[in-house]
Amino acid sequence: MPRTTTVECPGCPPLRALTFDALGLIKVIESRGDRGIPQVVERWGNPDSSKCVLAVSMDDSKRDPLLAVARKSSVIELLNPLNGEIGVSISNVGDAGTQPEDDAVIGLHLFKRHRVSGSCALLTCSTKGNASMRSIEVTSSTVDNASTVAPRTWKVSASGNILCSKVDGSENYALFGGKAVEVNLWDLEKCSKIWTAKPPPKNGLGIFTPTWFTSATFLTNDDHRKFAAGTNSHQVRLYDTSAQRRPVISFDFCDTPIKAVTEDQDGHTIYIGNGSGDLASFDIRTGKLLGCFLGKCSGSIRSIARHLELPVIGSCGLDSYLRLWDIKTRQLLSAVFLKQHLTNVVFDSNFTDKGHVVLGFTFSSGCSVNGMKYWG
């Protein structure tokens, strides 16, 4: 039987979250009122395990919000996050015809910088280390004006499996890491590696822990040199590329693999979720545990999101619950059962009780360019 904990939930401030699951469904959860109860208000898509959502990235700007979703079938979709309408569907299968299950998309980033109406840029990275950056432009409603620039591609790693990737706040740098792949930093403008971590030495018993990174995040938006990474050996490591190649600080968290790491806006607090459902906050400068979140999850945590405006984080995972927490008291505000195993959660930071009215991202109707399909 799964572990359950009964905790009184006081409710949530007004917020909007999107969850993604193993059957490819996208569910919109909203809470209204000062202490509202979050509820599912929309569900997009049909259940299909081949469409399992592996990675997401969202630009929730007031003008032209956009959502990018990478699926198990190696299809990347661009959607309007306000109504779920699909704008673009891109096949990410390489020229060699590698099967999707053999080289799934593990990292996805939708660039927010310099975005203009009708265009966007995407960074993707697969488990085999195949990275690419592509631009999509649709300048008007006419089919002839839809175009895409040939993607820039490069190899992040020649061996091992990439399991995590993250783009910094300036969107000039990205880090990658995985199983048998030391975490490394890349300059995206030049598509060149600028730093690679060095594994920690053997411990006092002469035992060397194999490299296996599962998650990573930059600490601040204005400094790409400092980031935290979680490992399969339940360790969290702080790196400072300006100081050294080995971790500046490392510490253990419980005894199961780290599955999710997310930063706070203060630049030194991180939130960590693991394979046994433990969720906690740490001061990464010292490795000090600030506290565990009350109301233990009953399954592996796979995603943690920090709301940009509210003192709230959301977590989700294999127990099929979206849980919303107060970061100050670490109290559970509310939990929503969503039936499927959850893979990701994101917040819409511009949502208010009065709604969210913006100009949507539009594409030409019935257009196909360079293997990309466009819908209206």
Side-chain angles (χ1 to χ4, degrees):
M1 294 294 291
R3 292 172 294 173
T4 59
T5 303
T6 302
V7 179
E8 183 179 354
C9 301
C12 297
L15 57 78
R16 182 174 189 261
L18 281 70
T19 63
F20 309 82
D21 63 41
L23 291 183
L25 300 176
I26 302 174
K27 295 179 181 178
V28 181
I29 294 89
E30 291 183 2
S31 170
R32 296 179 180 271
D34 291 338
R35 287 295 172 185
I37 304 301
Q39 297 180 340
V40 178
V41 296
E42 292 185 75
R43 191 188 84 163
W44 304 331
N46 297 307
D48 185 346
S49 60
S50 68
K51 294 183 179 180
C52 170
V53 177
L54 302 178
V56 300
S57 181
M58 186 166 76
D59 177 5
D60 61 350
S61 59
K62 293 183 179 180
R63 182 179 178 85
D64 290 335
L66 191 61
L67 172 68
V69 176
R71 300 187 182 272
K72 185 178 179 180
S73 57
S74 279
V75 169
I76 299 172
E77 295 174 349
L78 297 182
L79 306 94
N80 184 329
L82 303 182
N83 55 28
E85 291 183 358
I86 299 176
V88 182
S89 182
I90 309 165
S91 174
N92 201 57
V93 176
D95 296 335
T98 305
Q99 294 300 311
E101 59 270 19
D102 297 330
D103 195 23
V105 174
I106 200 68
L108 176 67
H109 182 77
L110 175 65
F111 287 86
K112 304 175 181 63
R113 188 183 58 175
H114 307 315
R115 253 201 73 205
V116 295
S117 180
S119 70
C120 68
L122 287 174
L123 168 68
T124 61
C125 183
S126 68
T127 55
K128 299 300 182 183
N130 298 308
S132 69
M133 292 180 63
R134 53 168 62 88
S135 298
I136 304 168
E137 296 183 2
V138 179
T139 56
S140 73
S141 60
T142 61
V143 172
D144 294 337
N145 288 332
S147 64
T148 179
V149 179
R152 288 187 293 164
T153 61
W154 71 96
K155 197 78 172 177
V156 172
S157 175
S159 61
N161 289 329
I162 300 296
L163 298 178
C164 59
S165 73
K166 185 74 173 182
V167 175
D168 80 316
S170 69
E171 298 187 322
N172 292 322
Y173 304 92
L175 62 87
F176 305 92
K179 187 176 182 180
V181 181
E182 285 294 337
V183 66
N184 53 84
L185 189 65
W186 287 71
D187 184 321
L188 294 179
E189 183 177 353
K190 300 176 181 178
C191 295
S192 62
K193 186 189 297 186
I194 59 175
W195 183 87
T196 303
K198 189 175 181 179
K202 296 179 181 179
N203 62 18
L205 298 176
I207 298 174
F208 173 75
T209 303
T211 299
W212 193 336
F213 289 96
T214 57
S215 53
T217 186
F218 290 95
L219 297 185
T220 63
N221 288 330
D222 55 0
D223 188 357
H224 67 276
R225 298 171 299 176
K226 296 179 181 180
F227 55 87
T231 73
N232 194 67
S233 55
H234 55 85
Q235 194 173 72
V236 180
R237 301 174 183 173
L238 169 64
Y239 290 91
D240 185 345
T241 63
S242 63
Q244 59 189 46
R245 292 176 57 196
R246 281 186 167 142
V248 177
I249 293 175
S250 63
F251 55 89
D252 291 329
F253 175 53
C254 295
D255 55 2
T256 54
I258 307 298
K259 292 296 185 180
V261 178
T262 298
E263 80 285 359
D264 194 274
Q265 285 94 322
D266 63 13
H268 55 78
T269 300
I270 60 172
Y271 305 99
I272 301 170
N274 68 11
S276 58
D278 300 289
L279 179 64
S281 57
F282 281 82
D283 186 330
I284 194 63
R285 298 171 297 183
T286 61
K288 179 183 177 182
L289 173 66
L290 299 177
C292 292
F293 286 77
L294 306 176
K296 187 176 178 67
C297 306
S298 56
S300 174
I301 295 174
R302 295 306 172 91
S303 179
I304 304 171
R306 168 70 160 90
H307 198 288
L308 293 180
E309 304 293 336
L310 302 172
V312 173
I313 63 169
S315 69
C316 67
L318 301 189
D319 67 353
S320 304
Y321 276 91
L322 167 66
R323 287 180 168 84
L324 301 163
W325 314 81
D326 186 316
I327 63 171
K328 296 179 180 178
T329 63
R330 290 182 287 278
Q331 182 179 10
L332 181 65
L333 297 175
S334 193
V336 186
F337 182 61
L338 297 173
K339 299 182 180 180
Q340 284 80 31
H341 291 173
L342 301 175
T343 60
N344 287 276
V345 57
V346 296
F347 283 113
D348 179 356
S349 61
N350 287 309
F351 173 79
T352 66
D353 260 342
K354 297 180 180 179
H356 188 164
V357 180
V358 298
L359 298 177
F361 195 79
T362 58
F363 295 87
S364 58
S365 176
C367 175
S368 177
V369 180
N370 291 352
M372 296 185 182
K373 295 180 180 179
Y374 295 81
W375 288 270

